[in-house]
Amino acid sequence: MIESVKNPMPVNIVVAHGLEAKALVKMLELERHHVSSKFVEYSNSNKLHLLVSGIGKEAITAGVTYLSEQQASDSGEIRAWLNIGIAGHRDASLGSAWLGNKITDHSAGTNAYPPQLIEGVEVGSVVTVDEPENSYPLDAAYEMEASAFYAEATKYSTAEMVQVFKVISDNLKNPISEIDIRSVPGLIAAQAPQLLILIERMSAIASQHNFNQRLPSYFFEICSKIHLTVNQKLQLRRLCQRYKALGLEKELGCVAGPKASDARKLIQQLTERIDRIREA
Amino acid sequence: MFSTIYIEEEVLELERVRNLLDRFAQVPQVICGRYGEVFNRKSQNFRLQKMAPALILAKKYGNKVLAAPSGYGYNESKGYYFSHMLNCVYDCRYCFLQGMYSSANYVLFVNYEDFEEAIAEKIGENNGGGVYYSGYDCDSLALEPVSNFCSHFLSVFKRYPDAELEIRTKSTQVRSLLDTEVVPNCVIAMSFTTQEAAGQWEHKVPSIKKRLEALHKLQLAGWKVAIRFEPLILGAEGLAPYEALFEQIFSKLDAQRLHSVSSGLFRMPVDFHKRIVKLYPDEELFARPTQTTQGMIALKSTEENTHLMAIEELLLNYVSSEQYYRCA
Ligand code: SF4
């Protein structure tokens, strides 16, 4: 269903349960990872990644931490993070769904507000509880992972790129004790139009952000060849960005080719040259 | 217009808030505790939020009227600023707000009456006088149709004829001013940069032509208007863009009737600059060589003073030296 999208999709989707993953695997044409991991994972060649974390706040925190560690790199690129899952609401109809614009952690009594950049998707409140909720006191989707997911994922990405999407699977008329869990993939599959908008839009924003932050390849060449202290790496990074912003990316190699061996001297030469060119 | 409206629970029942919520009933509305739960959180990204800013309706506690930085104003009177709003609907790449906040959402403090009281108190402390700048942390007029800022604060300053209100703006939203009786102690100060700078850095800002038309209407209606040439970002093109800009402005406005004209170089606190560079590593302006003096960053130029003086010389062909001041 998502085959039209050939561009990179730097998006991590995290679900609590394998049944929530089932519809997404099909919808997004994902393949199972066979690397040994404590989590079940899927991905596709466009960098879209799906992880099944297990139920509850602790499990999802561990899943997010694990995935971010696997993906850590020097490039400064970010990924979008999306938690998709089922939830209960007192009177919303089964299968209705929304993006959380307010996430309340019931036991901690705290609120988080994922910034809303994406149009065309329903929005509403989400309450994360430690035990399944049967009475749904507030006008919100009750579930068990969102607050922990948001708190953890915002450590690795910007808040705008961390979102939760909840599909209603139970309500007062259809209590949680009577849910036929085999209906879960169908409920999520029915949300394909909203989910595809959401994933494609989050992906486009993250990709644009990464493009804006892209470093010239020279930076990586030098890093792989010369030992740089943390501070020197930061200085080199900024110099490479400045050359690029001033349209002088090609000049980088002229100042000192990747054969340069002294980091301090290299940084000094790059600084002097750019200041000279720009001031002239 | 707004992606979401967040409302502090405390202001939910204010009439000003209820009217706004009714007007924007189609925009998702979220109740929050204090605006700091939503605004300026550490993992937020100003550049991304600029794509779809939200409106936050809040109550301002604490200091509502603050001393203006030295050298900000045009005369010897004590200067103060107040911000009924944080952030701006425009997106000028050189704007310091990008470095000041991690959030691009607009915070509108709706307790105007408390601001009014604080202003009155400050005016009292200054024997009825003082200069009061609005538009330091925002553009005062740009959101006028939503905030009704003018209609409220102009009536406050009408009561204190010796206190002066300067409304700093790049907006053409002057309808409410034109519909109001002139307030002689209110100055509308419009900022301009050259055509080239505006094209390159002033995103979403009305064109120079449109801003001039708005100012012209105000001047004809009897309002005091002022011009702020800020920030001056000197480029390789030399003086020609300034010659063109001055010609355009002073052929439209009556220079002699201008309240004041000022210029100010591009300057910003080092910390703000650092944060902006992280947001816009790809921006040419921030890749230029810089120099730091007393915590403020400026573009490095050996010619800066010569250029500034040449621009001032050009300017003084149109306005008197009494009308002109250089902003520190
Ligand atoms: S108009 Fe002023 S406040 Fe608004 S973005 Fe531009 S410089 Fe900043």
Side-chain angles (χ1 to χ4, degrees):
Chain A
M1 254 197 233
I2 203 159
E3 75 263 36
S4 60
V5 183
K6 292 279 177 266
N7 298 325
M9 303 193 84
V11 182
N12 292 331
I13 299 171
V14 184
V15 300
H17 199 282
L19 282 168
E20 291 166 329
K22 200 171 173 189
L24 295 168
V25 168
K26 194 166 171 215
M27 188 192 304
L28 304 169
E29 296 177 347
L30 303 173
E31 279 178 23
R32 176 85 190 260
H33 270 213
H34 291 292
V35 283
S36 67
S37 146
K38 49 186 169 170
F39 298 101
V40 175
E41 293 175 70
Y42 303 84
S43 65
N44 69 9
S45 54
N46 291 345
K47 291 188 175 177
L48 194 57
H49 205 105
L50 170 66
L51 178 140
V52 184
S53 68
I55 293 168
K57 293 197 282 190
E58 232 173 81
I60 203 155
T61 301
V64 172
T65 311
Y66 163 81
L67 196 48
S68 71
E69 280 166 2
Q70 298 299 306
Q71 295 169 341
S73 87
D74 235 5
S75 66
E77 292 195 348
I78 58 162
R79 294 180 64 86
W81 291 80
L82 178 61
N83 167 226
I84 300 172
I86 53 166
H89 184 276
R90 61 184 173 215
D91 52 17
S93 52
L94 300 190
S96 55
W98 54 85
L99 195 62
N101 57 13
K102 176 175 182 174
I103 304 169
T104 301
D105 186 297
H106 182 257
S107 58
T110 53
N111 296 309
Y113 303 84
Q116 303 290 300
L117 302 185
I118 295 159
E119 270 181 77
V121 180
E122 294 291 320
V123 289
S125 293
V126 173
V127 175
T128 303
V129 286
D130 295 338
E131 299 295 333
E133 171 64 53
N134 299 314
S135 57
Y136 324 105
L138 300 173
D139 176 12
Y142 281 79
E143 54 78 80
M144 297 177 71
E145 290 86 22
S147 65
F149 169 81
Y150 187 77
E152 190 62 14
T154 48
K155 291 180 188 165
Y156 312 108
S157 191
T158 172
E160 295 72 22
M161 290 289 90
V162 180
Q163 301 291 332
V164 303
F165 184 84
K166 297 293 156 183
V167 183
I168 300 305
S169 61
D170 50 278
N171 54 26
L172 285 174
K173 279 195 195 137
N174 303 277
I176 203 161
S177 53
E178 289 169 23
I179 294 185
D180 176 0
I181 56 165
R182 286 170 304 178
S183 68
V184 170
L187 291 174
I188 292 184
Q191 284 303 322
Q194 289 215 89
L195 281 169
L196 291 176
I197 291 176
L198 185 56
I199 294 166
E200 287 176 13
R201 203 61 202 111
M202 286 179 83
S203 161
I205 297 170
S207 297
Q208 182 62 50
H209 173 94
N210 293 340
F211 178 79
N212 296 338
Q213 300 279 336
R214 186 186 62 84
L215 283 163
S217 54
Y218 180 81
F219 172 78
F220 299 102
E221 276 173 45
I222 293 291
C223 286
S224 66
K225 285 180 179 141
I226 310 181
H227 172 73
L228 296 142
T229 63
V230 175
N231 197 28
Q232 285 170 336
K233 221 178 207 182
L234 288 174
Q235 286 178 292
L236 180 65
R237 169 186 284 267
R238 183 59 197 136
L239 278 164
C240 288
Q241 287 172 335
R242 286 181 63 200
Y243 273 81
K244 184 177 156 226
L246 293 171
L248 300 169
E249 198 169 333
K250 284 199 190 111
E251 296 268 329
L252 280 164
C254 307
V255 180
K259 285 203 191 95
S261 57
D262 181 340
R264 199 181 52 83
K265 216 160 127 196
L266 172 76
I267 288 168
Q268 193 186 337
Q269 281 174 345
L270 285 168
T271 310
E272 281 169 5
R273 185 165 174 104
I274 197 169
D275 285 0
R276 215 171 37 239
I277 298 174
R278 200 50 191 83
E279 265 195 273
Chain B
M1 189 168 199
F2 312 115
S3 59
T4 305
I5 302 180
Y6 299 94
I7 314 109
E8 280 186 356
E9 204 162 3
E10 195 181 348
V11 301
L12 193 56
E13 295 310 326
L14 292 185
E15 195 187 335
R16 189 169 291 130
V17 171
R18 296 268 35 123
N19 290 342
L20 269 176
L21 297 182
D22 288 347
R23 218 173 113 198
F24 294 101
Q26 76 291 358
V27 178
Q29 300 175 358
V30 179
I31 315 287
C32 63
R34 293 286 292 133
Y35 75 95
E37 290 177 6
V38 184
F39 182 75
N40 219 17
R41 309 291 294 180
K42 81 173 179 307
S43 58
Q44 295 180 342
N45 183 300
F46 188 100
R47 184 173 182 171
L48 291 180
Q49 289 198 5
K50 246 331 187 192
M51 295 168 64
L55 174 68
I56 304 171
L57 302 174
K59 177 171 176 176
K60 171 82 177 164
Y61 281 94
N63 294 336
K64 292 172 198 74
V65 184
L66 296 152
S70 63
Y72 190 72
Y74 50 80
N75 65 19
E76 296 308 308
S77 304
K78 268 195 155 173
Y80 300 92
Y81 72 94
F82 63 99
S83 299
H84 70 293
M85 196 176 145
L86 309 179
N87 273 329
C88 178
V89 300
Y90 305 135
D91 190 17
C92 302
R93 195 53 61 245
Y94 50 72
C95 181
F96 74 97
L97 293 173
Q98 305 164 111
M100 190 152 152
Y101 304 123
S102 60
S103 171
N105 291 337
Y106 318 130
V107 181
L108 179 65
F109 294 117
V110 290
N111 51 328
Y112 291 180
E113 292 70 17
D114 295 338
F115 277 92
E116 186 181 329
E117 204 175 291
I119 289 167
E121 202 174 294
K122 207 50 93 183
I123 292 174
E125 282 170 24
N126 286 279
N127 301 319
V131 184
Y132 300 81
Y133 300 97
S134 169
Y136 190 74
D137 296 321
C138 66
D139 183 299
S140 299
L141 288 188
L143 215 61
E144 178 62 18
V146 172
S147 68
N148 285 324
F149 158 83
C150 274
S151 53
H152 191 92
F153 286 93
L154 284 177
S155 64
V156 173
F157 278 86
K158 247 186 213 168
R159 300 201 299 267
Y160 304 101
D162 294 330
E164 200 154 32
L165 168 67
E166 176 176 313
I167 297 177
R168 186 74 68 95
T169 191
K170 283 199 188 93
S171 169
T172 53
Q173 301 276 4
V174 294
R175 171 91 353 248
S176 62
L177 289 166
L178 294 172
D179 289 344
T180 316
E181 194 189 326
V182 170
V183 180
N185 53 328
C186 170
V187 182
I188 316 301
M190 187 78 82
S191 305
F192 290 94
T193 60
T194 62
Q195 190 75 56
E196 292 71 8
Q200 194 171 351
W201 295 306
E202 292 176 357
H203 309 295
K204 302 188 195 158
V205 175
S207 68
I208 294 175
K209 190 167 170 244
K210 289 220 168 90
R211 274 181 270 164
L212 270 177
E213 273 161 16
L215 269 194
H216 182 55
K217 280 185 198 155
L218 287 170
Q219 203 174 42
L220 285 180
W223 286 90
K224 277 188 188 148
V225 301
I227 306 279
R228 306 282 171 248
F229 293 109
E230 284 183 29
L232 296 180
I233 299 173
L234 309 169
E237 315 81 14
L239 291 181
Y242 290 94
E243 281 169 353
L245 177 67
F246 297 162
E247 175 56 32
Q248 188 182 4
I249 290 178
F250 298 114
S251 61
K252 183 86 183 172
L253 302 177
D254 180 347
Q256 262 142 49
R257 284 179 52 220
L258 287 175
H259 167 272
S260 57
V261 176
S262 69
S263 68
L265 288 159
F266 174 74
R267 297 273 185 275
M268 84 169 51
V270 176
D271 288 352
F272 290 7
H273 188 265
K274 269 191 195 151
R275 278 184 229 146
I276 297 177
V277 160
K278 278 197 187 139
L279 289 175
Y280 294 94
D282 50 340
E283 170 56 53
E284 181 268 339
L285 178 62
F286 304 122
R288 295 187 190 185
T290 54
Q291 59 196 21
T292 306
T293 321
Q294 293 175 332
M296 296 297 275
I297 215 159
L299 298 176
K300 197 168 173 183
S301 165
T302 45
E303 309 267 283
E304 188 177 78
N305 221 27
T306 327
H307 266 138
L308 180 56
M309 276 161 50
I311 289 170
E312 288 177 331
E313 206 180 306
L314 274 179
L315 197 48
L316 291 171
N317 288 328
Y318 298 96
V319 297
S320 69
S321 54
E322 289 73 37
Q323 285 171 295
Y324 174 73
Y325 73 97
R326 197 193 271 192
C327 207

